[in-house]
Amino acid sequence: MSISVNQQAKVFHLQTAHSSYIFHVMANGDLGQLYFGRKIHVKDHYDNLAKRERREAMVAWGKDFDDFQPDNLKTEYAAFGRGDFRDPAYQIAAENGSRISELAYAGYHIEDGKARLSELPSAFSQPSEGVQTLTIDLADPLTGLQASLHYSVFEQEDVIVRSTTFSNLSDNKIILRRAMSAQLDLPDSRFQMISFAGSWARERQEVKNALKPGIQSVGSLRTASSHQENPFIMLARPETSEDTGDVFAFNLIYSGNFLDQVEVNHYDLTRVLIGIHPEEFAWTLDPNESFQTPEAVLSFSKQGFNQLSQQLTNFYANHLVNPRFAKQPRPILVNNWEATYFDFNEDKLLAIAKKAAELGIELFVLDDGWFGHRDDDHTSLGDWFVDKKKLPQGLPHLADAVHGLGLKFGLWFEPEMISMASELYKKHPDWLIVSPKRQPIAGRNQYVLDFTRNEIVDTVFQMMAQRIEESHLDYVKWDMNRYITDMFGSQLPADRQLEMAHRYILGVYHLYQRLIDRFPDVLFESCASGGGRFDLGMMYYAPQAWTSDNTDALSRIQIQYGTSYGYAPSMMGAHVSDVPNYQTGRITPLSTRGRVAYFGDLGYELDITKLSEKEQQEIKKQVAFYKRHRQLFQFGTFYRLQSPFAGDKNVASWEVVNADRTLAIAARYQFLNRPNPAYLRLYFMGLSPDRLYRINGSEETFFGDELEDAGYAVDQILDINQPMTASADFSAHLFIAQAVE
Ligand code: DGJ
């Protein structure tokens, strides 16, 4: 049993394998948060944790609750306007305009398992997996508002998933002005907040700051989780490292506007709120209507960041990603985008596909430019019909030829978008999102379809379904290349306009679900100008995502390293591309490009027909090597060893280890060469301490504990005839630790 309830004291103790999450019902009927952290014993009550001395100059509840001062308490789901002056978890507007409500405990029930949500991506479990879900019902008899707080306990993975369902049991309408997915109050503020910020082509760079009094937050109002901020954040004790120390993770299974807010109040209490960004949100609940928030993912580790990332990775594989693909080896692909951009014909594509087959590549992806009259990015989005000028024999013909080479075939779409120069726009000029009487703002010369409208989603579905069916597609790359401006719902009444952003994302999810239901064997990869929608909402439908448009190996080390804190390697599309790199102009060795891309879903994105014989042979070897270790690279236990965001930022290393710890591959990357460098060692992690290993087939053997604590000497001598040694610029070395039989 992962949920213990003391019915008398009304204490709820949720236990995962290594953590405890405890709350209780307080004197006034509110829920009080007691503890989240390392697993502790179940007791009848934890009064000591709730103890508060009365303080002067504070708002206090009336004579029955003389000592009850909401501003100095830790609570579970705070209301607005009843004495807690921190930002609340929810807020309403009642028909008379009042924003005040008060949710008091009304009961609880526990169910086995975790059911999927119907309109939102969500965690799930099979009946036999020991997952339990606790629902606490809260009610405000004066307004008729009811809220159910859901807590699903994923014991094995050390994860708790939270969400809230609001219902209107009154005869009047109630407007939800804020409906966060989860609130967590912590007893002090001695934490660093770690978030992942960036922009196009430099996504998810680690940002670390000590908490300060007041509010600090990350969020997005772009109707996408965004390149700029990511919903994944951590709170860690300052001394926490990769393998020791306390750290909390927070993420949201959602792809739209979000807010992760951390507030430190005057008693040094820390409140984390995570959910839909309240700024562009409101939801009208008519009598008997309900609203379901997205789900928040909470996790705690006492063994530092690596442990935390690993438990999240396990959770995603078991309870978030489409089970059809979650543990399936992902194909090695070649994508024609950086090879041809818009300029291709069937011969060119087939030449690439043929070469790909020779090199051992498994999937050919035809990217942007195959439809309408799309010779540049000004036209044709929405016209999901083949461009007969480029592919006169049609898509099925090309698909047959690709399949005939023994390759899978994948196709690019940007389903949510419309170009003004398109047949779709001619027919339906009113289908794009636009604010009345204003000229809509273009992004990459394109506009956004109003996905809150069923007929629009249905039209796009029909076109995509035809393409998928007629060409027997194995893979779809779903791109999204602009953020949404001019947000206005032409079909929504004035008082429901703030529902638009959330309804838009529900439309996106609806289309994904319809396509998956109809084509369960198609692998989806999500993309948003690279990593602009790298979030758990997308991962529920599309098991992998294009991590970044920046394929420069050095940039990718940082991007993949940052991403790895909150996401699994198998979620990261990682391609070897041409040099000089299109985004940075940098020339890195092919070996380095391969050794970075190995630690994700490997692909190639360059004109492989133009490579020298030597380069082709090298790619063939890379592909064969990756296939041999694919399971390890995609699904092994991932360890960050040395951060490119720390120290002199000149070196990075990471490692994957197999389940029985008999095989590990570590990579060490050096950015710039240093003359006469210091002597270096690589410190492995996750090995069996008592086993002997050979490194790269060495004669000498090393104990696991030796490799972890004494380290392995890294060769530093620069041989100018062999410029790619460990100390040359942009070099990458692999260290394969194989256990001795
Ligand atoms: C942006 C994506 O990130 C690229 O990989 C490529 O698909 C282009 N869009 C195509 O327009």
Side-chain angles (χ1 to χ4, degrees), residues 200 227 335 337-338 341-342 367-369 374 377 381 412-414 444 446 477 479-481 527-531 546 548-550 575 605:
W200 174 76
H227 299 84
N335 178 307
W337 178 241
E338 289 197 10
Y341 292 105
F342 296 104
D367 209 279
D368 194 355
R374 181 108 164 145
D377 61 16
L381 293 170
W412 180 97
F413 292 90
E414 198 174 354
R444 205 197 186 199
Q446 67 195 47
K477 176 175 173 183
D479 205 348
M480 198 281 289
N481 283 303
C527 174
S529 298
W546 184 219
S548 174
D549 272 347
N550 188 344
H575 298 178
E605 188 158 339

Side-chain angles (χ1 to χ4, degrees), residues 684-699:
F684 282 80
M685 283 187 183
L687 303 179
S688 284
D690 303 328
R691 285 195 94 119
L692 283 169
Y693 295 84
R694 294 187 200 285
I695 304 297
N696 295 340
S698 62
E699 247 177 58

Side-chain angles (χ1 to χ4, degrees), residues 366-648:
L366 173 51
D367 209 279
D368 194 355
W370 58 268
F371 51 90
H373 307 285
R374 181 108 164 145
D375 295 328
D376 58 43
D377 61 16
H378 286 77
T379 83
S380 302
L381 293 170
D383 295 347
W384 303 110
F385 305 101
V386 76
D387 180 354
K388 286 270 175 138
K389 215 163 57 147
K390 287 183 196 168
L391 301 171
Q393 309 198 70
L395 261 190
H397 185 267
L398 174 67
D400 279 355
V402 170
H403 284 136
L405 290 165
L407 296 177
K408 293 176 188 292
F409 183 52
L411 198 60
W412 180 97
F413 292 90
E414 198 174 354
E416 299 149 73
M417 297 295 154
I418 182 165
S419 309
M420 284 204 184
S422 68
E423 295 304 314
L424 190 70
Y425 185 75
K426 267 189 224 151
K427 251 201 253 159
H428 301 290
D430 61 330
W431 274 15
L432 53 95
I433 294 177
V434 47
S435 182
K437 300 193 186 138
R438 281 186 205 281
Q439 199 51 31
I441 291 183
R444 205 197 186 199
N445 313 304
Q446 67 195 47
Y447 302 87
V448 187
L449 287 169
D450 183 348
F451 260 41
T452 67
R453 293 170 61 181
N454 280 337
E455 72 274 28
I456 299 180
V457 172
D458 189 58
T459 303
V460 176
F461 170 78
Q462 299 302 343
M463 288 188 276
M464 291 179 77
Q466 276 171 21
R467 299 295 81 77
I468 296 174
E469 215 154 53
E470 72 186 12
S471 293
H472 305 289
L473 295 185
D474 304 289
Y475 162 107
V476 164
K477 176 175 173 183
W478 177 322
D479 205 348
M480 198 281 289
N481 283 303
R482 61 157 293 176
Y483 295 125
I484 306 183
T485 55
D486 304 287
M487 193 51 109
F488 182 82
S490 61
Q491 314 290 300
L492 291 174
D495 61 356
R496 284 184 180 265
Q497 284 299 324
L498 284 168
E499 297 180 13
M500 180 68 187
H502 182 58
R503 287 185 184 275
Y504 174 85
I505 289 294
L506 292 181
V508 172
Y509 293 151
H510 180 59
L511 180 56
Y512 255 118
Q513 194 59 57
R514 275 185 80 180
L515 288 166
I516 288 168
D517 289 345
R518 173 88 166 264
F519 304 104
D521 293 330
V522 170
L523 172 63
F524 284 84
E525 175 158 334
S526 84
C527 174
S529 298
R533 229 163 38 179
F534 205 103
D535 60 64
L536 297 182
M538 284 291 124
M539 298 300 174
Y540 175 83
Y541 303 100
Q544 57 193 64
W546 184 219
T547 317
S548 174
D549 272 347
N550 188 344
T551 49
D552 168 56
L554 260 63
S555 308
R556 267 307 181 108
I557 292 168
Q558 292 175 326
I559 293 167
Q560 291 173 210
Y561 203 97
T563 306
S564 77
Y565 283 96
Y567 300 91
S570 62
M571 292 173 164
M572 296 185 221
H575 298 178
V576 171
S577 66
D578 213 349
V579 286
N581 180 271
Y582 285 120
Q583 290 79 24
T584 62
R586 192 175 284 131
I587 297 177
T588 53
L590 181 53
S591 58
T592 298
R593 282 173 274 155
R595 287 167 186 177
V596 175
Y598 288 160
F599 292 82
D601 301 319
L602 177 66
Y604 289 83
E605 188 158 339
L606 70 171
D607 191 346
I608 48 178
T609 65
K610 290 197 179 134
L611 297 178
S612 68
E613 185 54 33
K614 192 163 161 254
E615 288 168 320
Q616 289 184 27
Q617 285 315 313
E618 188 169 343
I619 289 185
K620 208 172 182 171
K621 279 195 197 135
Q622 289 183 347
V623 168
F625 177 77
Y626 186 79
K627 281 183 184 166
R628 195 154 63 245
H629 297 298
R630 174 178 2 215
Q631 188 65 27
L632 184 57
F633 284 127
Q634 293 180 353
F635 302 107
T637 308
F638 185 86
Y639 290 86
R640 287 172 299 275
L641 303 181
Q642 206 172 354
S643 173
F645 301 109
D648 64 3

